[in-house]
Amino acid sequence: MIAELKELWRYRELLLVMVQRDLKIRYKNSALGFVWSFLNPLLTVGVMTFVYTNFIFKDQPNMGAYIMAAYLPFMFFQMCILDSAQSVLVAMPLIKKIYFPREILPLASIFSNFINLLLAFVIFFAYLLIRYFTNPVTFPIKATAVWLPVLLLITWALATGCSLIICALNTFYEDIKYIMGVLLYLLFFICPVLYFSEQVANSAINHSTNGLIYKIYNLNPIGYLCTAYKKILLDPITVTVRGSETAAADPMRWDYLGVAAVTSFAVLIFGYYTFNRLKWRFVERP
Amino acid sequence: MSGHGLIEVKDLKKEFTLNTSGVASIKTALLWWRKRNAKKLNVLKGISFQVHPGECVAVVGKNGAGKSTLLSLLARVYKPTSGSIEIRGRMAPLLELGAGFHPDLTGLENIYFNGVILGLTREEMRARTDKIIEFSEIGDHINAPTRTYSSGMLARLGFSVAVHIDADILLVDEVLAVGDYEFERKCYAKIDEFRANGGTILFVSHQMDAVRKVADRCIWLKDGQIHRVGPPDFIIAEYEGRDLDLEEGR
């Protein structure tokens, strides 16, 4: 594995050029290139915010920010897996002719999506500031936002590990990407993007199992990452517990984040190992 | 081009698994689970040879003898089933010219991309782009996307990139016939220059004229094994003679 990493480092220039190429193609051919790639998340968040502020969470202020804080990293995770699943197959004519570390193909997709995620967070903070200037109450950017790079790193590790595994498998079994499409769609509802993890904690089913459901729920690394983004970037929410009582919001749980971090890096190492074991057989696929 | 290029192949074997189901998917894997007949195909059955620094070696043989598999193994596209390959020096494979070009990027952007795949840095490529563009005779089209190029232009640009990266070893697979007579002569001149500077070449060709013109030594591959090794004139005479015998025998 160390030898593979050294080889990858030797080819870092190629990875850089691939990422540049990816971004260039994405933003080329259209003056609106940059806006274009954020139109989808912005529209989605816009519609969700409208529905959720008006019909579901009527007393939760700034619901759009809460949705966006979790939706952006989740979208990154999803796009990484779906993009990199195809990356080796698309480059098949190239890798049949010439050698370079094959992991560069999915990694290029992942890094260009990561740059997209960073730009998306710039838009997120811009949104917070614009809201603040139109209605100055409390300054919206919290001190705990310094933890954002840590969360981004963990999210990157998880996304990269999963992407490498899916990419290697999809190269041999081309229907994996359809299965992943469905699984990611379902995963979206299991993760607290459109709702809050406190609602899981205060649910009847969680109380009847003595909090077991909530514990299991938070073991999902991408799920707890969604919660963590909301907690470090935004104010704690006011929770309504069955009826009209209110309870304190659950604080940021570093132990669950630790579990998510360990899981993510384990997935990263396992994914890299799996990919390297399978990569020589890509060109010999049926 | 320092004359350090060296290829050493020891007991190289390559085995492919033939799959008859055709499509790679979980569905086929499940449906064909009981009917699967994974045949093994031994393409290379243990070959050993050396290419010394500054030498030019041609590989000849019928279709299916394993020539292209050998080149792909040397280019590290495949991993050997067993045996070892040792390569010293920078290698530029000319397996298929322009294989790494992205149709939406311009010729210039593709020059950088191709050069970096072949192991150079962007700094090093920057110093070479003028020479590459000049040699390829692409002219002003270099700023147009390569999807607008003709196949001849793609081949010329690909060849031009490959010979300008200062490789120690060239791997050539039947690609010297790119473009018109004029350009072909230029290619041969470039190859002579490369050899004069101590470059090492391994190439595969069906054109015996090319083999006679360029090679110092000839390896005849037959059914995945080395049949004969020797001076080109000698081997070609026998190789073509064998073909004649076959035709007479029919």
Side-chain angles (χ1 to χ4, degrees):
Chain A
M1 188 118 104
I2 300 296
E4 308 273 6
L5 279 173
K6 269 189 190 152
E7 182 77 351
L8 185 60
W9 178 246
R10 235 165 49 77
Y11 276 84
R12 62 192 182 277
E13 190 100 4
L14 177 61
L15 180 57
L16 195 76
V17 172
M18 287 258 204
V19 174
Q20 272 179 353
R21 190 180 78 159
D22 227 44
L23 292 171
K24 214 178 244 173
I25 292 167
R26 190 178 298 194
Y27 296 135
K28 221 176 183 177
N29 306 329
S30 66
L32 285 173
F34 179 75
V35 180
W36 197 247
S37 70
F38 289 107
L39 210 55
N40 177 16
L42 285 179
L43 270 176
T44 314
V45 171
V47 171
M48 286 175 188
T49 308
F50 179 79
V51 170
Y52 275 73
T53 356
N54 291 305
F55 310 140
I56 299 171
F57 292 104
K58 280 182 222 123
D59 41 2
Q60 183 59 48
N62 203 5
M63 191 57 202
Y66 286 97
I67 293 179
M68 229 200 294
Y71 184 73
L72 298 179
F74 187 88
M75 239 2 230
F76 161 73
F77 180 74
Q78 177 170 351
M79 291 310 290
C80 276
I81 289 179
L82 295 180
D83 278 358
S84 53
Q86 283 294 85
S87 60
V88 169
L89 288 177
V90 168
M92 202 47 102
L94 184 58
I95 67 171
K96 276 190 171 156
K97 297 295 171 199
I98 206 163
Y99 168 81
F100 56 89
R102 273 66 174 113
E103 55 269 34
I104 284 187
L105 294 166
L107 286 179
S109 309
I110 291 162
F111 279 114
S112 65
N113 271 311
F114 193 71
I115 290 171
N116 250 19
L117 174 67
L118 295 183
L119 292 174
F121 266 112
V122 172
I123 294 183
F124 172 80
F125 285 116
Y127 172 77
L128 288 188
L129 288 176
I130 289 168
R131 269 185 63 97
Y132 172 69
F133 288 127
T134 51
N135 179 26
V137 186
T138 48
F139 192 66
I141 298 174
K142 297 173 56 182
T144 47
V146 295
W147 289 102
L148 183 60
V150 176
L151 292 190
L152 288 171
L153 183 70
I154 300 171
T155 315
W156 171 83
L158 183 65
T160 306
C162 294
S163 299
L164 287 173
I165 298 169
I166 299 302
C167 175
L169 291 179
N170 190 57
T171 307
F172 296 113
Y173 304 108
E174 279 180 46
D175 38 8
I176 296 273
K177 63 170 181 287
Y178 303 117
I179 298 171
M180 280 323 289
V182 175
L183 288 183
L184 284 166
Y185 179 72
L186 296 177
L187 184 65
F188 179 74
F189 292 102
I190 297 177
C191 293
V193 178
L194 295 176
Y195 53 94
F196 297 93
S197 58
E198 279 84 356
Q199 289 171 296
V200 179
N202 295 323
S203 62
I205 183 168
N206 185 46
H207 283 296
S208 66
T209 53
N210 282 328
L212 187 65
I213 292 281
Y214 186 58
K215 278 183 191 134
I216 294 172
Y217 182 86
N218 279 340
L219 291 181
N220 167 14
I222 187 68
Y224 200 77
L225 280 167
C226 288
T227 304
Y229 277 101
K230 287 183 182 177
K231 293 212 180 296
I232 64 154
L233 293 173
L234 299 159
D235 290 325
I237 54 152
T238 42
V239 197
T240 313
V241 187
R242 280 174 291 166
S244 56
E245 297 169 62
T246 53
D250 209 15
M252 176 77 183
R253 292 282 295 270
W254 296 98
D255 49 347
Y256 282 128
L257 188 67
V259 170
V262 170
T263 317
S264 299
F265 281 94
V267 169
L268 175 64
I269 291 166
F270 177 72
Y272 190 60
Y273 170 79
T274 311
F275 191 90
N276 279 326
R277 277 203 44 188
L278 295 174
K279 69 177 174 185
W280 287 101
R281 283 172 43 210
F282 288 168
V283 280
E284 297 171 29
R285 65 187 280 279
Chain B
M1 300 184 201
S2 38
H4 297 312
L6 174 97
I7 303 175
E8 195 171 354
V9 173
K10 273 190 201 139
D11 197 28
L12 185 66
K13 284 183 188 158
K14 183 65 194 171
E15 187 181 82
F16 288 103
T17 308
L18 278 183
N19 197 320
T20 43
S21 68
V23 187
S25 67
I26 292 186
K27 199 182 84 185
T28 13
L30 290 176
L31 286 177
W32 287 73
W33 185 254
R34 297 182 55 193
K35 282 186 260 178
R36 92 203 131 110
N37 43 351
K39 264 191 241 153
K40 300 276 186 198
L41 187 68
N42 282 305
V43 179
L44 291 179
K45 299 165 186 165
I47 61 171
S48 309
F49 66 89
Q50 272 193 347
V51 180
H52 306 291
E55 200 184 17
C56 175
V57 172
V59 180
V60 298
K62 285 199 301 178
N63 286 333
K67 304 185 297 292
S68 295
T69 305
L70 174 62
L71 280 196
S72 297
L73 278 163
L74 290 173
R76 293 212 282 165
V77 168
Y78 297 131
K79 201 173 197 172
T81 307
S82 70
S84 72
I85 298 171
E86 203 197 315
I87 289 168
R88 233 175 285 155
R90 179 187 284 158
M91 187 175 59
L94 275 76
L95 298 183
E96 190 174 296
L97 295 176
F101 289 163
H102 192 287
D104 279 343
L105 295 180
T106 69
L108 190 63
E109 287 165 335
N110 270 313
I111 289 177
Y112 276 95
F113 184 60
N114 230 21
V116 171
I117 288 189
L118 292 172
L120 277 83
T121 63
R122 283 170 303 159
E123 258 339 282
E124 289 171 309
M125 283 313 286
R126 210 159 288 145
R128 286 169 174 78
T129 41
D130 287 342
K131 269 194 284 177
I132 292 173
I133 297 168
E134 197 198 314
F135 186 87
S136 66
E137 299 170 7
I138 300 279
D140 292 338
H141 294 292
I142 202 68
N143 289 317
T146 48
R147 62 167 182 267
T148 63
Y149 285 23
S150 69
S151 56
M153 288 161 83
L154 283 176
R156 261 153 40 209
L157 192 59
F159 182 87
S160 187
V161 173
V163 294
H164 282 93
I165 63 158
D166 296 350
D168 302 304
I169 306 168
L170 275 185
L171 291 182
V172 188
D173 189 1
E174 264 327 339
V175 283
L176 290 180
V178 296
D180 53 17
Y181 176 70
E182 192 71 17
F183 191 76
E184 198 181 316
R185 241 188 26 200
K186 223 166 118 183
C187 289
Y188 277 111
K190 194 76 199 173
I191 294 232
D192 284 342
E193 189 193 317
F194 176 78
R195 296 213 49 208
N197 287 322
T200 307
I201 300 178
L202 184 83
F203 81 110
V204 161
S205 186
H206 286 293
Q207 295 170 297
M208 293 306 143
D209 288 342
V211 175
R212 247 186 232 112
K213 197 156 35 171
V214 190
D216 298 321
R217 202 148 58 97
C218 211
I219 294 174
W220 179 356
L221 271 189
K222 193 176 174 186
D223 298 328
Q225 274 165 329
I226 293 182
H227 186 59
R228 284 277 146 82
V229 183
D233 287 332
F234 179 72
I235 297 283
I236 290 169
E238 203 175 333
Y239 178 67
E240 289 181 334
R242 187 207 55 136
D243 278 345
L244 281 178
D245 287 346
L246 266 182
E247 272 162 35
E248 280 163 14
R250 258 180 228 150

